[in-house]
């Protein structure tokens, strides 16, 4: 399967022009590989989406886009019957919307963010050549062709920045159809200090489809932190200042979204003193979650791991971790 992560060879300006097709909305069909793409060039391509017949049609759409037929990105809607769906490895038939777009029409900021593990939202205005906007946590680039529409799209895109993986929305904004795609890496968790809780944390994040690793070495953890982004997390279980202080200093001074540390309140106070002496300021210290985790009342390593990962999710989404029956509005567990 070819995915969004495999597009590098086709992004080379010296290479052949290419378009890519990906599913942005579906009814029926069952579970879909959300990062799957069909790459289309004048003479071939790579990947698969909906099976041979449908993919041939999409390839034709892609070549029309590459030929510069003045339509820009195309939103292709197709009905997929049960036989075709089963042939493509899908559960059942349904209706699908596929966005077909030239790779060159995607602002470079989207590819740069992906390379740095930073979440962005790509907003595309089908039928308008080059009308793409990339929204990140620090601003936006590109345009949909209208300042007011750019502002509205930026607001619509904001919630997707907190959701890992490939998230899509097709929306009608006052008569203008927009496709929103959240491109974000799946979170990584680095645990510093091998023990049973560390193993439980890795098991918990892997259950969510994230990746987790455990190290006992401060140098290894600091190196890992340098490549981490706002959806990632570091949890320090080691109480030794020789290990905890350099790791937490690096994490609090970088882009890591969640920085947690285990230990009693006395241990936490001593740890903060060491961090202050290492030059960590008040603003950075305020990002430290210590003791780590939500107050769920658990005591086993597995229950403690659950409370820490739950706090990671609550922080990322801006939620307080309250019982749903005490809240109002849309339910997003």
């Amino acid at each position: 399967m070819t995915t969004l992560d495999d597009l590098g060879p086709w992004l080379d300006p010296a290479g052949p022009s290419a378009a890519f097709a990906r599913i942005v909305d579906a009814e029926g069909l069952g579970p879909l590989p959300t990062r799957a793409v069909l790459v289309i060039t004048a003479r071939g391509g790579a990947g698969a989406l909906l099976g041979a017949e449908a993919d041939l049609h999409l390839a034709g759409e892609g070549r029309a886009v590459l030929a510069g037929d003045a339509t820009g990105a195309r939103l292709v809607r197709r009905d997929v019957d049960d036989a075709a769906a089963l042939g493509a490895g899908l559960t059942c038939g349904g209706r699908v919307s596929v966005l077909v777009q030239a790779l060159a029409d995607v602002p470079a900021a989207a590819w740069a963010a992906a390379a740095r593990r930073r979440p962005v939202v790509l907003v595309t205005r089908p039928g308008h050549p080059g009308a793409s906007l990339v929204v990140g946590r620090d601003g936006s680039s590109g345009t949909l062709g209208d300042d007011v529409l750019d502002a509205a799209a930026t607001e619509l895109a904001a919630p997707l920045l907190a959701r890992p993986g490939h998230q899509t929305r097709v929306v009608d904004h006052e008569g203008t159809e927009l496709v929103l795609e959240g491109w974000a890496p799946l979170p990584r968790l680095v645990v510093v200090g091998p023990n049973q809780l560390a193993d439980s944390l890795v098991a918990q994040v892997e259950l969510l489809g994230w990746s987790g690793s455990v190290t006992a070495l401060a140098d290894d953890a600091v190196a890992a932190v340098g490549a981490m982004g706002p959806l990632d997390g570091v949890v320090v279980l080691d109480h030794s200042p020789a290990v905890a202080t350099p790791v937490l200093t690096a994490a609090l001074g970088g882009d890591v979204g969640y920085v947690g540390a285990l230990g009693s309140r006395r241990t936490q106070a001593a740890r903060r003193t060491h961090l202050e002496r290492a030059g960590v300021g008040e603003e950075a210290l305020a990002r430290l979650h210590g003791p780590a985790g939500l107050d769920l009342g658990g005591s086993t390593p597995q229950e403690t791991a659950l409370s820490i990962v739950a706090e990671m999710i609550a922080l990322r989404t801006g939620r307080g971790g309250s019982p749903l029956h005490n809240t109002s509005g849309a339910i997003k567990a």
Side-chain angles (χ1 to χ4, degrees), residues 49-129:
L49 282 183
L50 300 172
E53 181 182 352
D55 285 354
L56 281 174
H57 175 77
L58 293 173
E61 297 280 356
R63 293 189 181 101
V65 169
L66 291 173
D69 64 355
T71 63
R74 296 183 174 194
L75 189 58
V76 180
R77 292 184 168 92
R78 285 184 64 93
D79 291 316
V80 181
D81 62 31
D82 287 342
L86 292 174
L90 304 172
T91 305
C92 60
R95 185 168 179 78
V96 66
S97 297
V98 179
L99 186 65
V100 184
Q101 184 176 25
L103 285 170
D105 283 348
V106 177
W111 310 121
R116 296 173 55 239
R117 289 185 56 79
R118 301 302 185 265
V120 293
V121 179
L122 173 64
V123 187
T124 303
R125 186 181 182 185
H128 294 261

Side-chain angles (χ1 to χ4, degrees), residues 95-188:
R95 185 168 179 78
V96 66
S97 297
V98 179
L99 186 65
V100 184
Q101 184 176 25
L103 285 170
D105 283 348
V106 177
W111 310 121
R116 296 173 55 239
R117 289 185 56 79
R118 301 302 185 265
V120 293
V121 179
L122 173 64
V123 187
T124 303
R125 186 181 182 185
H128 294 261
S132 293
L133 177 72
V134 174
V135 180
R137 291 172 178 258
D138 300 322
S140 62
S141 62
T143 181
L144 300 174
D146 179 274
D147 290 345
V148 174
L149 189 58
D150 287 348
T154 299
E155 185 175 347
L156 290 169
L160 295 184
L161 290 171
R163 300 185 66 85
H166 185 209
Q167 307 290 327
T168 62
R169 304 282 188 275
V170 179
V171 301
D172 186 318
H173 177 72
E174 298 181 357
T176 299
E177 192 168 47
L178 301 174
V179 178
L180 285 75
E181 298 174 85
W183 291 1
L186 292 173
R188 291 177 180 171

Side-chain angles (χ1 to χ4, degrees), residues 119 137 158-165 167 184-188 205 208 210 229-233 256-259 289 294 308-321 332-333:
R137 291 172 178 258
L160 295 184
L161 290 171
R163 300 185 66 85
Q167 307 290 327
L186 292 173
R188 291 177 180 171
V205 298
L208 298 174
W210 307 356
L231 299 184
D232 299 322
V256 181
Y258 179 86
V259 184
H289 295 264
L294 297 180
I308 292 172
V309 176
E311 186 179 40
M312 288 183 65
I313 297 172
L315 177 67
R316 187 191 74 217
T317 59
R319 307 297 279 262
K332 297 180 181 178

